[in-house]
């Protein structure tokens, strides 16, 4: 129970950090806090809410934290799953969010370790992607992400983070195709 309360406090601090330098801080922060309160009141996990809404657990968390837009098809499902979330808040969640990054988030240990893993394995990942797909990058727009738990060979709990993005090849910039 203490761990969950500590996690909630950390999430609220991170939300404040993300929006600290934006005009929309008060609105975005109050929406995210209202969402976290409604999630807590629902008694449901991110996985349970995501399954109800038909989205990945990471995307559901982004919606609640104000980092992704609440789409009309998801709104009714989320409303039923989190009945204490007001219609007014959900209408605001349907607006285009301010997607931002504050480097202070890297001080949070889980975020730092994830960042560290990508940085450590990044060159190897890049080389394998280029070998399999050619010169290009993985989209973070046409993209799915999820976090799951599995059991390791010794019975230990293991974290699986899946990054699933569309491949975007770099193009040759031919002068005769430049429409600008």
């Amino acid at each position: 129970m203490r761990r969950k309360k500590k996690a909630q406090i950390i999430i609220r601090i991170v939300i404040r950090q993300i929006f600290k330098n934006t005009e929309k801080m008060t609105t975005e922060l109050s929406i995210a806090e209202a969402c976290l309160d409604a999630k807590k009141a629902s008694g449901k996990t991110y996985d349970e809410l995501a399954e109800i809404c038909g989205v990945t657990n990471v995307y559901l968390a982004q919606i609640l934290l104000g980092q992704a837009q609440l789409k009309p098809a998801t709104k009714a499902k989320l409303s039923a799953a989190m009945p204490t979330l007001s219609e007014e808040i959900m209408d605001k969640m349907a607006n285009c969010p301010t997607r931002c990054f504050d480097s202070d988030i890297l001080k949070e240990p889980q975020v730092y370790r994830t960042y560290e893993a990508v940085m450590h394995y990044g060159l190897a990942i890049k080389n394998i992607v280029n070998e399999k797909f050619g010169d290009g990058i993985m989209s973070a727009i046409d993209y799915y992400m999820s976090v799951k738990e599995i059991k390791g060979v010794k019975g230990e709990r293991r974290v699986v983070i899946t990054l699933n993005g569309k491949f975007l090849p770099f193009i040759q910039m031919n002068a005769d195709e430049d429409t600008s």
Side-chain angles (χ1 to χ4, degrees):
M1 194 68 152
R2 281 178 149 167
R3 191 180 286 171
K4 285 184 179 180
K5 186 166 183 130
K6 186 176 179 183
Q8 285 285 353
I9 291 168
I10 289 170
I11 288 169
R12 290 175 194 270
I13 290 168
V14 169
I15 292 168
R16 284 188 178 93
Q17 285 298 107
I18 288 171
F19 295 112
K20 73 180 180 184
N21 294 323
T22 68
E23 295 174 18
K24 297 171 73 174
M25 178 191 171
T26 304
T27 303
E28 300 283 348
L29 181 58
S30 63
I31 291 171
E33 287 184 334
C35 288
L36 293 177
D37 290 343
K39 178 188 174 293
K40 183 178 180 180
S42 78
K44 293 178 178 65
T45 66
Y46 284 111
D47 285 343
E48 292 167 336
L49 291 168
E51 186 174 335
I52 291 166
C53 293
V55 297
T56 69
N57 55 7
V58 172
Y59 192 76
L60 189 281
Q62 283 186 297
I63 290 170
L64 299 185
L65 296 172
Q67 294 290 297
Q69 184 181 34
L70 178 62
K71 304 291 186 184
T74 308
K75 184 178 176 182
K77 296 172 189 174
L78 188 62
S79 178
M82 295 174 46
T84 62
L85 196 56
S86 75
E87 187 71 24
E88 178 186 359
I89 293 290
M90 296 219 314
D91 287 343
K92 289 178 181 175
M93 293 167 64
N95 294 330
C96 293
T98 301
R99 293 174 177 91
C100 54
F101 175 85
D102 186 314
S103 60
D104 283 347
I105 188 70
L106 294 175
K107 294 176 184 173
E108 200 290 316
Q110 178 58 56
V111 174
Y112 175 77
R113 287 295 180 194
T114 305
Y115 178 76
E116 181 182 46
V118 171
M119 296 305 293
H120 179 75
Y121 294 101
L123 187 56
I125 293 167
K126 178 234 182 285
N127 282 324
I128 293 168
V129 168
N130 289 158
E131 181 179 274
K132 290 182 178 291
F133 296 92
D135 188 22
I137 61 170
M138 179 178 68
S139 173
I141 303 296
D142 189 342
Y143 185 82
Y144 298 87
M145 181 187 286
S146 62
V147 177
K148 295 183 177 147
E149 179 181 336
I150 62 168
K151 291 283 183 197
V153 295
K154 297 177 183 172
E156 76 278 14
R157 296 171 69 195
R158 300 187 69 84
V159 178
V160 176
I161 301 172
T162 301
L163 312 173
N164 174 355
K166 177 182 178 181
F167 181 73
L168 302 173
F170 285 110
I171 64 163
Q172 179 172 304
M173 294 184 215
N174 298 324
D176 62 342
E177 296 172 357
D178 183 0
T179 60
S180 60

